[in-house]
Every structure is written in C-alpha cells, then in structure tokens.
Amino acid sequence: MSASQTSDISADIPTLLVKIFGKDRPGITAGLFDTLAAYSVDVVDIEQVVTRGRITLCALVTQPPTGMEGDLRATVHSWAESMKMQAEIISGRGDNRPRGLGRSLVTVLGHPLTAEATAAIAARITESGANIDRIFRLAKYPVTAVEFAVSGVATEPLRTALVTEAAALGVDVAVVAAGLHRRAQRLVVMDVDSTLIQDEVIELFAAHAGCEDKVAEVTAAAMRGELDFEQSLHARVALLAGLDASVVEKVRSDVRLTPGARTLIRTLKRLGYQVGVVSGGFTQVTDDLKERLGLDFAQANTLEIVDGKLTGKVTGEIVDRAGKARLLRRFAAEAGVPLSQTVAIGDGANDLDMLNAAGLGVAFNAKPVVREAAHTAVNVPFLDTVLYLLGVTREEVEAADMHDED
C-alpha cells in the first residue's frame, strides 16, 4: 500500500483492507467505492495496479458502524462476483506502518532484466536492513527499467551494496535519495565524445589529416588515465598542423549522435531542466551541437586557425579533467541550480572529477576505472535511458512526443 493517506487515524481504530483482483475493465474502482459508500466508511489509503490486463485494487477503509461489517463483507463479495472478480477483506487496526527513515529510490535497468538479477537485487536490499515499499515499472523498451521505493537505510551504504551486486549481475543500478528535490529544476551536463556523440572528434579531424591511427592510440591511453590529458591533447592537435580549415564543416557532418541523445535533451528541456556539454574536444564542433540541439551551455577547447589553416595548437583555457568539474560548478551557478541538483554524464577518466562533483554522476558505457568511481553506470547504448534514473517513464516521453506532433 502507498502512503497517500486522506485522514490521520489512530493505530487503535479498527480498519478493513478490501482487496479486489481479476480482469481489468472500466468502472471497477468506481463500482467498489460506490458499494462501500452505503456503509459510511472513510477512505484511509488506496492503491491500484494493472499488469497485463489484470487489476489488483486495494482500499484501506475505516470499519463501518457496529453491526454492519458482516453486511458490508457480503455485499462486497456479491458485487465482486457480479463483476467476475475475486474479493478479500482483512480486519486490522490503524493505517500502514510508517516508512523507515533513510528513503531511497533504486532504479534497475536490464537488457533484459532477468528474474535472477531481480531476486539478487531484492535480496541485497533486504540484507542491507532496508524494506521495499513499492515497485514501479518505468520502461519496457529499449531496456526494462523498474524503480524500487526503499526505506530503512541511508542512501550511501545502500548504493555501495547494490552497485557491487549489479556489476556481478550485468544490470545497471542507480540509487538516489527520495524527496521533493527529485522534482526540482535540475542541470544536466554531458561529456561529448563517446557520450553525446558516438565519435572522438579529434579522430574525425585526424582521418582527414591521414594520422588517425596515431591519434587514436594517444586518445585511448588518455581515456584510460594512463597519460596526462593536457599533454596528450597538445600532442594530438600538433598532428593536425596544416590541415585546411574547410575540414571543420566536413567533421561536423561526420558527427553521429548517440542513440537516444535527441530524445534525452528534448525531454529534459520539456521538464524545465537546463542542459550543457563540456568537452576535451573542440568548440568548432560543440558550438554547432549547442545550436542544433538547443543546449543552454557548451564549453570546449578551441583549435587555432590562421590564414585558413589549422596551426596544430589550441587557444584559451584548456578543458581537462579538473576543468570539466570547474565548468559544472560554473554552469550550476549561472543556472541557479545547487550542485546537489546537477547530473553529470561521461565515459572517460577525464570526466571523473565532474562525475564526483555532481549530485548524480552517471558513467555511460564507460571505461572500468570510471564505472567503479561513478555514482552509477549505464551500460546500454541508449543515452535516453538516463531519463529513467530521474524517474521519467517511457510512457511520459512518448505522450509528450505525440502531443508535440498534434
């Protein structure tokens, strides 16, 4: 049962739990409460779930006046039979027990989500001392996403316990504190290369310069954290010296958005979120993405161009690992959003400071060192699955898309 109480009742007051289940059809909820209305009961709590056309409707109500409970039971059972459904009525006292302190929302993503993985996650929640209060499906494709409302243990130790379990099971798990802040305005900041887009931009430039293999080798080492990012950046950009500036337009056209990127950004903007990107790549590409996607913020390195040629140098402040975290804080200040209400998404070692600084850091198809350090990891190739970590359902996304098409 949920905690959506309509009255504050004593634990000593007799109550009835009325449960109706069977094939769903219009009018069941109205019919049950119309039946109960004849017995002057008050509604304390309601919860209704429909799964594959089968409804389970629970109503917690106060006990009817003396001498009327037997008649209420008989009438409810008779009504249920007329609807070709089953009824169960349980006597008790008071409302649901209060939820424990330390309330969290646990989102589990599976592709597919197996019974084995679900059992293991549920068991680990119980072993941590927490209780599962409610389970709700957020999406059925392109991944199965379910959300557990959990209480009784602090968020951080629960996250630690579940992330370890998730890695072994091959599912993605995010654990965030429950509360009003989840519905507040947020700022989402993404890395660009291999996160917002499928490519490494410097490798696209290198392909036109004929040095793609050399650049790719240095890029991979930098993303694994084996090389200092700034040194590797200068080394890679130097290989582009002499390239004609006209290649910028070609690279822009080569860029491939990650599946789900447009849906993610479009939905976030509808929700009133602000969205930005930070990149160790180049403004020659991020400025174009900002305009095309309607982003609020964008910052990257800038390739120096003199007399229509790339000089092999970058100008201005370098956006490196520490720089990305600084920019997250700067964007949050400009957006008027507390750092605790920010979400950062990235895949490489140079994203770690940003992921750890954010209220929620999401490692997206990331290197092992990043997955281990981030708050949560998403290991499916659909960027819009991040929406489920924010409690947005697939049905809400699709409904909004249909509304815009009308």
Side-chain angles (χ1 to χ4, degrees):
M1 296 288 288
S2 71
S4 54
Q5 300 177 8
T6 58
S7 60
D8 185 12
I9 66 171
S10 167
D12 294 329
I13 293 180
T15 52
L16 298 177
L17 174 60
V18 181
K19 181 179 179 182
I20 304 296
F21 46 98
K23 185 178 179 180
D24 188 28
R25 62 177 66 83
I28 291 174
T29 304
L32 172 63
F33 285 98
D34 188 47
T35 301
L36 292 172
Y39 296 92
S40 302
V41 298
D42 295 330
V43 177
V44 178
D45 199 357
I46 309 170
E47 184 156 318
Q48 177 174 304
V49 177
V50 178
T51 304
R52 211 179 67 179
R54 308 291 292 184
I55 185 173
T56 300
L57 170 59
C58 293
L60 185 64
V61 299
T62 55
Q63 190 179 58
T66 304
M68 297 183 67
E69 182 177 333
D71 190 45
L72 179 150
R73 287 174 176 268
T75 302
V76 169
H77 280 286
S78 177
W79 171 81
E81 185 176 348
S82 73
M83 299 292 289
K84 298 183 179 179
M85 304 187 76
Q86 294 178 274
E88 181 180 6
I89 303 175
I90 303 171
S91 299
R93 288 188 173 277
D95 195 2
N96 311 300
R97 64 179 178 82
R99 292 182 62 191
L101 298 176
R103 301 179 184 181
S104 302
L105 297 171
V106 178
T107 306
V108 183
L109 309 179
H111 189 54
L113 180 60
T114 66
E116 178 186 11
T118 305
I121 293 296
R124 183 54 63 92
I125 290 173
T126 301
E127 291 166 7
S128 72
N131 183 68
I132 298 172
D133 301 311
R134 189 170 184 267
I135 305 174
F136 177 72
R137 186 180 73 181
L138 296 168
K140 60 183 178 181
Y141 69 92
V143 299
T144 300
V146 294
E147 181 178 272
F148 295 74
V150 174
S151 63
V153 69
T155 299
E156 287 302 325
L158 181 62
R159 176 185 291 149
T160 300
L162 293 182
V163 166
T164 302
E165 188 74 28
L169 295 168
V171 296
D172 299 328
V173 173
V175 183
V176 298
L180 291 176
H181 67 274
R182 201 183 197 198
R183 296 181 178 86
Q185 184 186 50
R186 287 190 177 186
L187 167 69
V188 177
V189 176
M190 289 175 276
D191 173 43
V192 175
D193 294 8
S194 299
T195 300
L196 178 63
I197 66 173
Q198 300 177 61
D199 313 283
E200 292 288 334
V201 169
I202 195 165
E203 293 179 13
L204 297 179
F205 277 100
H208 292 281
C211 56
E212 186 176 10
D213 292 342
K214 291 181 181 179
V215 166
E217 183 178 338
V218 179
T219 298
M223 292 300 100
R224 290 192 299 268
E226 298 170 3
L227 292 175
D228 173 81
F229 178 80
E230 184 171 349
Q231 291 179 333
S232 70
L233 175 68
H234 289 304
R236 289 174 291 172
V237 172
L239 296 171
L240 307 181
L243 199 60
D244 193 275
S246 63
V247 78
V248 169
E249 288 301 325
K250 295 177 183 178
V251 168
R252 287 175 175 174
S253 65
D254 290 339
V255 165
R256 301 168 299 162
L257 292 174
T258 298
R262 288 186 183 277
T263 299
L264 172 66
I265 294 169
R266 182 172 63 244
T267 305
L268 291 173
K269 298 295 289 183
R270 285 171 176 158
L271 291 170
Y273 288 20
Q274 297 188 59
V275 185
V277 294
V278 291
S279 177
F282 310 110
T283 56
Q284 281 83 358
V285 170
T286 58
D287 287 350
D288 180 61
L289 289 171
K290 180 181 180 183
E291 182 178 351
R292 286 167 51 195
L293 299 174
L295 302 174
D296 299 286
F297 304 98
Q299 189 68 45
N301 301 301
T302 299
L303 292 169
E304 184 181 64
I305 298 175
V306 176
D307 297 330
K309 301 287 185 180
L310 274 64
T311 66
K313 299 178 182 179
V314 291
T315 62
E317 178 184 359
I318 297 297
V319 179
D320 57 7
R321 175 170 170 167
K324 288 188 174 186
R326 284 196 303 271
L327 287 165
L328 172 69
R329 293 185 176 93
R330 183 192 305 173
F331 293 167
E334 293 178 12
V337 174
L339 201 59
S340 61
Q341 290 299 109
T342 61
V343 179
I345 310 168
D347 74 300
N350 66 328
D351 297 314
L352 276 174
D353 288 3
M354 175 178 72
L355 297 181
N356 289 329
L360 176 64
V362 181
F364 180 73
N365 291 306
K367 314 302 184 288
V369 66
V370 183
R371 290 200 303 268
E372 293 168 5
H375 296 142
T376 188
V378 171
N379 295 300
V380 293
F382 313 108
L383 193 57
D384 53 339
T385 55
V386 173
L387 291 168
Y388 310 144
L389 307 184
L390 305 177
V392 181
T393 69
R394 192 74 198 178
E395 287 79 6
E396 289 171 328
V397 174
E398 293 175 349
D401 285 342
M402 291 178 63
H403 177 75
D404 279 1
E405 291 173 2
D406 292 343

